[in-house]
Amino acid sequence: MIVKGARVLDGSANAMMKGKGTEDDRPWQSYHTVYTTAKAGMELVDKEKVQRVVYEMSKGSKYFQNEERKEAFIKQKIDNLRIQCANLTQEDLAHYQKVADRRIVELEASRDLSRIWLHVDMDAFYAAVETLSNPTLKGKPMAVGSMSMLSTANYEARKFGVRAAMPGFIARKLCPELIFVPTDFKKYTYYSDLTRKVFGRYDPNFIAGSLDEAYLDITEVCRERNVKSEEIAQELRAGVYEETGLTCSAGVAPNRLLAKVCSDINKPNGQYVLPNDRMAVMTFVSSLPIRKIGGIGKVTEHILKGVFGINTCEQMLEKSSYICAFFSQSTADFFCSVGLGLGQTDSPQVRFRKSISSERTFSATKDEVLLHKKLEELAEMLSADMQKEGLSGRTLTLKLKTASFEVRTRAVTLQKYISSSEDILKHAKKLLQAELPISVRLIGLRVSQFNGDKCSAKSDPTQKTITNFITSGDVNRNCSSFPDVADHDFVSNAETDMSIDSRQTGQLDWRDPFDGNYLSDVDYQSCTVQKSDGVEEVQTSSNDATSSHYSGLTEVLGSTSYLGQVEGINVKNGSNLLEDERLDSCCQEKTMLWLNDYKCSLCGIELPPSFVEERLEHSDFHLAEKLQKEESSIHQKSVPSQSKGQKDGVTRQSKSKKQKLSQKEGSYTPIDYFFVKK
DNA sequence: TACATACAC
DNA sequence: AATGGTGTATGTA
């Protein structure tokens, strides 16, 4: 659906990718592991050699075969997209160029250069902590983790190509001298708390991204003390070193997205300041490889490069017409804002977790008794975790990873909320039963749809609908009248008490899952220890496309094969976008009205006249609802092609609602605020 | 609602 | 021998 103006595709589209010939001689070149992407400390690594070793060690394994399968799939998508790209007419391109230019102007208008953000990132954190407690490790290549999986590696080890997320047995092949140290989550938490005390001096509301990194808004400190951000960064890093003996790196920039990129530039033990100046930002971003941007991963990189030839952020703008033609608005916005060097500058709202889960890997088995035992253990672990946080939920999801690394999820939504291990197990069993017989190497259980999802009032169905609509794809905001109060709890708590109550969710911070988690199946003790902060990362609450940019990729990936089957879609399709918007605003006035200039005539929600934006959103909602109803009735009687066209329009509209909704973040009162009992 | 995918750490 | 765990977001049917 994203790919507008597409032509019929045929499945044998990869002709153009064939005939390279190099693959036969050097097969490892086609095995795209993530291990070779430039990471701090790995610039001098012989990547060809690393790639070869990784390939040799992996070749033929079940894991490898699955990776090949996934890669082939993505390759196919890329081929399909290239064809669609080639089929765009001049007319199409001219249209999308207009759309793109308009979006870029709008995005540019949203640029905020008034804040100074600092991103701190500890250097090889777990490895550094382990070296502190065992100084004989100093100077030797060392990694934290096990033979199966590494959490992190120190800089000596990185010289050999050893890095986080690499299996230990491959790392040992790359570096036979490599010393393995098991993870000790307690230790990392302790040092993490020490660093956070320092962060708190500069921004009491700092955002902890994980145990080893944080974002600080240092605008005020800089102003109050009348010092340059550069000096603050120096001072902060010195303070961290003083308190912990650990080094860190910092990036300073006008927004969080850029600050994060900057903290990586002079790693380890360095810093980089990008001034709050538009030209400086544009220059910085122009040559920046897109993969450096948080949110652009391996797949997105491949697609953007393979289909559009995009390597740098600047090229996001050069190819903006293609981006607007092929991706959803939110994704296109994100990509364009990357090209402009835009990112979030607000201090995000507090959010609640939306799900909780437990999963374990073991040696693959189809022994049903064994699987059942694993399931039972998981149910108990999960239940214990839920009880710790006072959670209960009504959707249970079973996750299975087959012996061939294929992942399946199966879910049920129940009438009542559950949290006991018995309830969880009872339903989990049924889900598992339906999949038997099967050989699996991982089982996971997840519970979502929490009872305490405070923002969805259950009593009034109307309200529920609206709230769900509004919050879906957005954030469950803290419904407390004084969300700020919670924000400070963590800091003071951290100073007095090592154990952090997970419900004091003021500070945003999911624990670093990767490092903490590599446990043997039975290590429940440390498992419990690991479960710490129930607090949450940043991003989503805001508008800037940063929050919601994954969608488009999923869309492109998911829709291509579908499009391949659809009859040629009108190439003029794109102009519907504009027409829809006109229709939108013209309907807005007629769909509903405000009784006594206060109450919605359709659903009764109260919104004072001063809440102009919120009212607009609200009428948008009703419009979307109306269109959806129309669409579903049309859907029943109309011919497929018509129905497709309609559907497109509606979907695009509701999407644009969400988009608009999140756009004004920052200064506005969330609309769901009005639905919450106080 | 159910499921798959991408991503971060 | 051997490639993790927790959580978020999104689209589509």
Side-chain angles (χ1 to χ4, degrees):
Chain A
M1 171 189 78
I2 281 318
V3 187
K4 304 146 197 166
R7 297 282 183 197
V8 184
L9 303 169
D10 75 332
S12 61
N14 40 12
M16 52 205 303
M17 295 299 275
K18 294 209 173 130
K20 286 191 297 184
T22 58
E23 286 191 13
D24 299 329
D25 314 332
R26 295 188 282 277
W28 58 86
Q29 289 182 342
S30 61
Y31 181 46
H32 292 123
T33 56
V34 295
Y35 310 128
T36 44
T37 49
K39 250 226 142 183
M42 309 203 51
E43 297 77 11
L44 302 176
V45 175
D46 180 349
K47 286 175 193 143
E48 177 96 356
K49 187 194 160 200
V50 172
Q51 184 71 10
R52 206 168 56 237
V53 171
V54 171
Y55 175 80
E56 289 300 330
M57 299 296 286
S58 303
K59 182 173 59 177
S61 69
K62 289 282 190 333
Y63 173 83
F64 180 87
Q65 287 168 14
N66 188 251
E67 289 300 299
E68 282 187 321
R69 185 182 60 80
K70 290 195 293 188
E71 271 195 29
F73 186 76
I74 291 167
K75 213 171 215 168
Q76 166 102 48
K77 298 302 166 195
I78 291 176
D79 290 346
N80 287 345
L81 284 171
R82 288 170 67 123
I83 290 173
Q84 292 178 43
C85 219
N87 280 342
L88 284 179
T89 65
Q90 285 304 311
E91 213 178 334
D92 292 331
L93 283 174
H95 166 74
Y96 288 118
Q97 191 61 62
K98 258 190 264 170
V99 173
D101 289 346
R102 198 181 59 178
R103 276 314 284 159
I104 288 169
V105 168
E106 285 168 16
L107 289 168
E108 179 59 46
S110 76
R111 188 189 295 275
D112 174 8
L113 289 168
S114 70
R115 312 301 303 177
I116 304 172
W117 280 96
L118 183 150
H119 181 254
V120 219
D121 201 326
M122 301 302 295
D123 301 325
F125 184 51
Y126 294 4
V129 170
E130 293 300 342
T131 307
L132 270 188
S133 53
N134 180 2
T136 66
L137 294 169
K138 212 176 292 178
K140 299 173 189 164
M142 178 265 270
V144 177
S146 75
M147 257 342 174
S148 303
M149 185 55 56
L150 299 182
S151 297
T152 187
N154 67 8
Y155 281 82
E156 285 77 13
R158 290 185 196 189
K159 289 179 197 153
F160 294 85
V162 174
R163 53 162 292 172
M166 180 181 273
F169 70 93
I170 295 180
R172 194 176 51 181
K173 190 81 175 182
L174 288 167
C175 173
E177 306 293 294
L178 186 68
I179 300 169
F180 289 83
V181 178
T183 52
D184 182 351
F185 191 76
K186 250 196 250 178
K187 235 187 271 179
Y188 315 141
T189 308
Y190 174 77
Y191 281 97
S192 178
D193 287 341
L194 293 181
T195 66
R196 289 174 186 189
K197 270 206 266 183
V198 180
F199 302 161
R201 296 182 206 155
Y202 298 89
D203 176 6
N205 300 313
F206 71 88
I207 302 161
S210 64
L211 282 182
D212 78 327
E213 62 181 77
Y215 295 90
L216 285 69
D217 181 346
I218 56 168
T219 318
E220 305 309 329
V221 218
C222 289
R223 195 174 47 79
E224 281 162 15
R225 293 175 41 186
N226 193 28
V227 286
K228 283 193 231 149
S229 56
E230 182 190 332
E231 295 166 56
I232 296 291
Q234 281 294 353
E235 192 185 300
L236 179 141
R237 294 198 301 118
V240 168
Y241 185 76
E242 214 167 284
E243 296 291 324
T244 63
L246 300 166
T247 65
C248 61
S249 302
V252 175
N255 62 57
R256 292 203 293 278
L257 182 131
L258 292 177
K260 168 105 174 138
V261 175
C262 289
S263 69
D264 206 51
I265 292 178
N266 286 319
K267 207 164 219 324
N269 199 15
Q271 62 183 57
Y272 183 89
V273 176
L274 180 59
N276 288 37
D277 171 78
R278 186 180 175 277
M279 268 319 287
V281 168
M282 293 306 281
T283 305
F284 178 80
V285 130
S286 67
S287 59
L288 189 67
I290 53 170
R291 188 62 156 84
K292 294 276 180 191
I293 302 294
I296 298 185
K298 188 181 84 167
V299 173
T300 311
E301 180 189 30
H302 276 153
I303 290 176
L304 289 177
K305 183 178 168 151
V307 181
F308 311 107
I310 296 174
N311 289 292
T312 66
C313 296
E314 186 176 45
Q315 292 169 325
M316 292 281 208
L317 295 184
E318 289 164 9
K319 306 281 180 176
S320 57
S321 57
Y322 288 92
I323 284 176
C324 289
F326 282 85
F327 297 99
S328 70
Q329 180 170 1
S330 59
T331 305
D333 278 358
F334 172 65
F335 290 160
C336 290
S337 61
V338 163
L340 291 165
L342 302 175
Q344 288 174 305
T345 57
D346 60 317
S347 286
Q349 319 265 336
V350 173
R351 299 187 306 155
F352 291 107
R353 73 151 79 230
K354 294 189 164 82
S355 71
I356 186 166
S357 67
S358 251
E359 66 185 62
R360 285 296 175 274
T361 295
F362 41 84
S363 49
T365 178
K366 50 184 176 188
D367 180 336
E368 295 179 13
V369 179
L370 215 57
L371 291 179
H372 184 268
K373 194 171 147 253
K374 301 280 183 197
L375 197 64
E376 193 174 329
E377 289 167 358
L378 280 170
E380 276 159 20
M381 282 191 273
L382 182 55
S383 174
D385 290 347
M386 291 177 71
Q387 248 126 62
K388 241 179 278 166
E389 300 201 29
L391 294 170
S392 61
R394 52 192 283 265
T395 298
L396 179 68
T397 306
L398 172 74
K399 175 177 168 183
L400 301 174
K401 193 189 278 175
T402 66
S404 52
F405 285 84
E406 183 198 331
V407 176
R408 276 186 217 175
T409 61
R410 296 290 178 259
V412 275
T413 298
L414 312 162
Q415 285 303 316
K416 66 169 203 170
Y417 292 89
I418 60 169
S419 64
S420 73
S421 59
E422 292 79 14
D423 282 340
I424 293 173
L425 184 59
K426 186 174 77 185
H427 293 101
K429 268 188 201 169
K430 287 190 226 166
L431 291 172
L432 177 61
Q433 199 66 43
E435 304 301 314
L436 296 176
I438 187 174
S439 178
V440 298
R441 68 190 323 279
L442 171 147
I443 304 185
L445 287 174
R446 173 177 302 263
V447 172
S448 50
Q449 295 240 47
F450 295 136
N451 199 351
D453 272 355
K454 301 181 182 70
C455 288
S456 57
K458 278 171 296 172
S459 48
D460 181 344
T462 316
Q463 281 197 354
K464 189 184 177 188
T465 314
I466 293 168
T467 311
N468 285 352
F469 178 81
I470 289 165
T471 52
S472 76
D474 203 342
V475 183
N476 276 338
R477 290 188 179 77
N478 189 349
C479 295
S480 149
S481 311
F482 307 104
D484 287 349
V485 174
D487 263 7
H488 303 283
D489 277 357
F490 169 73
V491 173
S492 51
N493 191 34
E495 275 160 2
T496 56
D497 183 357
M498 278 285 299
S499 74
I500 300 151
D501 183 343
S502 55
R503 310 203 65 188
Q504 296 172 342
T505 58
Q507 216 54 57
L508 308 173
D509 164 19
W510 292 111
R511 74 201 158 99
D512 182 340
F514 181 65
D515 293 303
N517 272 322
Y518 195 68
L519 303 167
S520 73
D521 309 7
V522 288
D523 193 359
Y524 298 148
Q525 183 59 44
S526 15
C527 176
T528 330
V529 172
Q530 288 166 16
K531 306 271 175 183
S532 59
D533 328 22
V535 230
E536 186 167 319
E537 239 278 50
V538 203
Q539 5 130 286
T540 350
S541 60
S542 155
N543 96 60
D544 66 356
T546 323
S547 18
S548 50
H549 54 269
Y550 304 125
S551 55
L553 248 315
T554 312
E555 262 178 271
V556 166
L557 283 169
S559 64
T560 312
S561 53
Y562 168 65
L563 274 164
Q565 299 155 10
V566 172
E567 282 291 352
I569 297 164
N570 182 1
V571 279
K572 293 295 241 172
N573 218 355
S575 61
N576 292 347
L577 187 66
L578 302 169
E579 280 160 24
D580 286 346
E581 280 164 15
R582 279 198 294 274
L583 174 77
D584 186 350
S585 49
C586 116
C587 286
Q588 261 168 22
E589 287 110 41
K590 299 174 191 170
T591 320
M592 56 167 290
L593 55 108
W594 295 100
L595 300 172
N596 298 328
D597 205 20
Y598 198 70
K599 230 174 170 173
C600 172
S601 58
L602 294 179
C603 71
I605 178 221
E606 296 173 354
L607 266 180
S610 57
F611 290 86
V612 181
E613 284 292 298
E614 288 73 12
R615 281 195 173 195
L616 208 58
E617 301 297 347
H618 187 76
S619 52
D620 279 353
F621 161 68
H622 281 302
L623 176 70
E625 193 186 42
K626 190 170 153 243
L627 286 171
Q628 243 154 20
K629 271 184 202 151
E630 285 168 8
E631 189 269 339
S632 58
S633 62
I634 289 166
H635 200 68
Q636 281 158 7
K637 26 188 179 177
S638 72
V639 296
S641 63
Q642 264 177 320
S643 127
K644 165 94 173 92
Q646 276 290 337
K647 194 172 174 201
D648 252 304
V650 171
T651 314
R652 204 180 300 133
Q653 284 226 318
S654 41
K655 227 185 274 165
S656 95
K657 299 315 160 221
K658 277 190 218 164
Q659 200 54 30
K660 265 200 236 161
L661 175 79
S662 46
Q663 295 226 343
K664 44 183 171 105
E665 189 66 27
S667 63
Y668 88 123
T669 309
I671 194 167
D672 40 0
Y673 179 80
F674 296 98
F675 296 95
V676 179
K677 279 190 192 159
K678 282 175 265 181

